[in-house]
Amino acid sequence: MVNKRRRGTELETAIYQATLEALEKEGFLKLNFGHVSELAGTSKSVLYRRWDTPFELAVAAIKYKIKTENSGQMDEIVWQGHSLKEDLEQLLNRFIVSIRTFDVYSTGGIMIESSQQQQDVLKKVLDEGIEVDIRAIEQILQRAQARGEIKYVNLKEEIKLLPFDWIRYQILIRGSLEQKDVQIIIEDVLLPTYLSALN
Amino acid sequence: MVNKRRRGTELETAIYQATLEALEKEGFLKLNFGHVSELAGTSKSVLYRRWDTPFELAVAAIKYKIKTENSGQMDEIVWQGHSLKEDLEQLLNRFIVSIRTFDVYSTGGIMIESSQQQQDVLKKVLDEGIEVDIRAIEQILQRAQARGEIKYVNLKEEIKLLPFDWIRYQILIRGSLEQKDVQIIIEDVLLPTYLSALN
DNA sequence: TCAAATAAGATAATTTTAGTTTCTTATTGT
DNA sequence: ACAATAAGAAACTAAAATTATCTTATTTGA
């Protein structure tokens, strides 16, 4: 390897891509600076200069990925359903796609520990997502109200988040989610819940 | 250190207890044979002979803990409620206690990866618990049927598992669960869902 | 009861990995 | 063109994981 040194943004995106590649192949636990620097075609010292731990690198890389690829996707949904049920189907299926993107970087997914600091960081990432989820549900409820399917739109936050929590659990922990499961949660749980609380 | 060598079951329970202690203090990621062998007052080679990886040791230790402490707890619930709602409160509060026992060994709790093999092992552990959960819900439903609160008791398995999945998610991933959240899931979600599906 | 088999425990040796430091030189900006 | 900055390579250090070897307590069963 000789001349042509990358730096700044160019170098960092290369590192991020290498990190994501490593995460996909080896997962979180095995992520280390040595391997990533090889993949990125740079050297360890470059990574040690920028991040203190592989964990921080991983978070930065995932943030980068979300920013460049998913940015605004959930925010700008064009609703196409003609009923509360159809809107929910559209929303949850879209959500499943985006959560699976995440899942790739935690091969399978199992709970393990992390430091308090690390938890705070990840909690923040999660919470940012939650706001988007809540807004989406609120939009759906208002559409349903306009149609006359429900009278009110005030729902407790925990209930608004229920389908997202449940889907995350199925994908990240259980490791599987079939189409029929989504139908079940919508028809047997969400619709009865909403109709009971909002009429 | 000299004479008096422990072996067999005696030695292994000592190792399991040392492992659980290490898990509580340091967590999953930092679990290693060297540290555990010190805590157990034995030597590394003894551990390397029995388990290939710290992960397998951890699983074995947690299994041991569940077997000796929690065994049959959930199975032998004496129901004390006088309504479907009260039965659900009893069940879920009990469940929360048992899941928190688990949580101690994953300080905080965050999803990270593990190998396919490891996942299979943990999936099996989870699945064993699921059977107990399902039986408990079925008992409750039959009591509700006997009281006349509901007509039928046939519920899809996904729905039966919903409250357990949801609670696990809150505790293991979100990292918190308040009493009011349990009330909300029971009153606003489960009861409407059951009454809608089973009448 | 005694000898052989088994497994515990101690220790040393080896390997691997993480992390640091040093140095050279390409690149940038003034 | 020259000084400042940061990339990249490599060697080095330290720590931890893993393996190997050996001694000896304990069990087994003839």
Side-chain angles (χ1 to χ4, degrees):
Chain A
M1 259 340 85
V2 265
N3 47 11
K4 206 68 183 173
R5 290 185 183 174
R6 298 160 300 177
R7 48 175 67 199
T9 311
E10 187 191 358
L11 178 61
E12 275 174 19
T13 60
I15 293 174
Y16 287 146
Q17 274 159 9
T19 305
L20 295 173
E21 199 183 323
L23 281 173
E24 265 186 75
K25 269 198 291 187
E26 304 285 346
F28 237 91
L29 292 180
K30 287 178 188 166
L31 188 73
N32 65 306
F33 286 157
H35 188 206
V36 171
S37 67
E38 263 185 56
L39 282 178
T42 180
S43 68
K44 286 194 293 180
S45 33
V46 173
L47 302 195
Y48 278 106
R49 275 182 207 122
R50 287 181 161 72
W51 298 277
D52 285 336
T53 64
F55 173 85
E56 289 167 64
L57 170 60
V59 170
I62 292 176
K63 270 188 177 172
Y64 159 83
K65 163 104 174 177
I66 290 173
K67 188 177 289 174
T68 54
E69 295 199 4
N70 286 0
S71 174
Q73 273 199 13
M74 281 286 270
D75 267 338
E76 303 159 6
I77 298 181
V78 178
W79 300 108
Q80 294 173 330
H82 297 89
S83 64
L84 177 53
K85 178 163 171 280
E86 287 178 10
D87 277 352
L88 282 169
E89 287 169 356
Q90 185 186 349
L91 172 61
L92 295 187
N93 283 319
R94 184 156 200 151
F95 177 73
I96 288 172
V97 172
S98 77
I99 198 71
R100 278 197 207 281
T101 311
F102 223 119
D103 190 37
V104 176
Y105 302 115
S106 63
T107 330
I110 279 300
M111 300 131 301
I112 321 189
E113 62 93 36
S114 60
S115 77
Q116 187 57 48
Q117 278 187 15
Q118 294 178 350
Q119 279 178 53
D120 292 344
V121 172
L122 280 160
K123 194 152 204 157
K124 218 177 133 198
V125 174
L126 265 186
D127 283 345
E128 283 169 18
I130 281 174
E131 286 171 31
V132 178
D133 300 339
I134 287 181
R135 271 203 301 280
I137 285 285
E138 284 169 352
Q139 283 180 36
I140 281 186
L141 291 178
Q142 274 161 13
R143 285 165 52 83
Q145 186 186 37
R147 278 192 216 97
E149 289 181 87
I150 53 177
K151 280 207 192 79
Y152 318 107
V153 293
N154 57 312
L155 210 54
K156 285 169 189 148
E157 197 158 281
E158 293 85 352
I159 312 289
K160 287 179 186 164
L161 292 174
L162 174 69
F164 304 105
D165 292 349
W166 185 81
I167 288 174
R168 277 200 206 93
Y169 181 85
Q170 301 303 323
I171 292 182
L172 297 178
I173 309 295
R174 290 281 305 159
S176 71
L177 179 66
E178 297 168 38
Q179 185 57 40
K180 78 161 171 40
D181 297 326
V182 181
Q183 287 302 318
I184 289 175
I185 193 91
I186 291 177
E187 291 173 15
D188 292 9
V189 178
L190 297 184
L191 290 179
T193 294
Y194 293 171
L195 296 179
S196 151
L198 303 176
N199 271 316
Chain B
M1 262 338 78
V2 266
N3 49 10
K4 206 68 184 173
R5 291 184 182 177
R6 298 160 300 177
R7 47 174 67 201
T9 311
E10 188 193 355
L11 179 61
E12 276 174 18
T13 59
I15 293 174
Y16 287 147
Q17 274 158 9
T19 305
L20 295 173
E21 200 184 321
L23 282 173
E24 266 186 74
K25 269 199 291 187
E26 303 286 344
F28 237 93
L29 292 179
K30 288 178 187 165
L31 189 74
N32 65 304
F33 285 156
H35 187 206
V36 172
S37 67
E38 263 186 55
L39 282 177
T42 181
S43 68
K44 287 192 291 181
S45 30
V46 173
L47 302 196
Y48 277 105
R49 276 183 205 119
R50 287 180 161 74
W51 299 277
D52 285 336
T53 63
F55 173 84
E56 287 168 67
L57 170 60
V59 170
I62 291 175
K63 267 188 177 172
Y64 159 82
K65 162 104 177 176
I66 290 173
K67 188 177 290 174
T68 55
E69 296 198 6
N70 287 0
S71 173
Q73 275 200 10
M74 281 286 271
D75 267 338
E76 302 158 7
I77 296 181
V78 179
W79 299 108
Q80 294 173 330
H82 297 90
S83 63
L84 177 52
K85 178 164 169 278
E86 286 178 9
D87 277 353
L88 282 170
E89 287 168 356
Q90 186 186 350
L91 172 62
L92 294 188
N93 284 319
R94 184 157 200 149
F95 177 73
I96 287 172
V97 172
S98 77
I99 198 72
R100 278 196 208 280
T101 311
F102 223 120
D103 190 36
V104 177
Y105 303 116
S106 62
T107 328
I110 279 301
M111 299 132 302
I112 320 188
E113 62 93 34
S114 61
S115 76
Q116 188 57 48
Q117 278 187 14
Q118 295 178 349
Q119 280 176 55
D120 292 344
V121 172
L122 281 160
K123 195 154 205 157
K124 220 176 131 197
V125 174
L126 265 186
D127 283 344
E128 285 169 18
I130 281 174
E131 287 170 31
V132 179
D133 300 338
I134 287 181
R135 271 202 302 278
I137 285 284
E138 284 169 352
Q139 284 181 36
I140 281 186
L141 291 179
Q142 274 162 12
R143 284 164 54 84
Q145 186 186 39
R147 281 193 215 97
E149 290 181 88
I150 52 176
K151 281 208 192 78
Y152 317 107
V153 294
N154 57 311
L155 209 54
K156 284 167 190 150
E157 196 158 281
E158 293 85 351
I159 311 290
K160 287 178 185 164
L161 291 174
L162 173 70
F164 304 105
D165 292 349
W166 186 80
I167 287 174
R168 277 199 207 92
Y169 181 85
Q170 301 302 324
I171 291 182
L172 298 177
I173 309 295
R174 290 283 304 161
S176 72
L177 179 67
E178 296 168 38
Q179 186 57 39
K180 77 162 171 38
D181 296 327
V182 182
Q183 287 303 319
I184 289 175
I185 192 94
I186 291 177
E187 291 173 16
D188 292 9
V189 179
L190 296 184
L191 290 179
T193 295
Y194 292 169
L195 296 180
S196 150
L198 302 176
N199 270 317

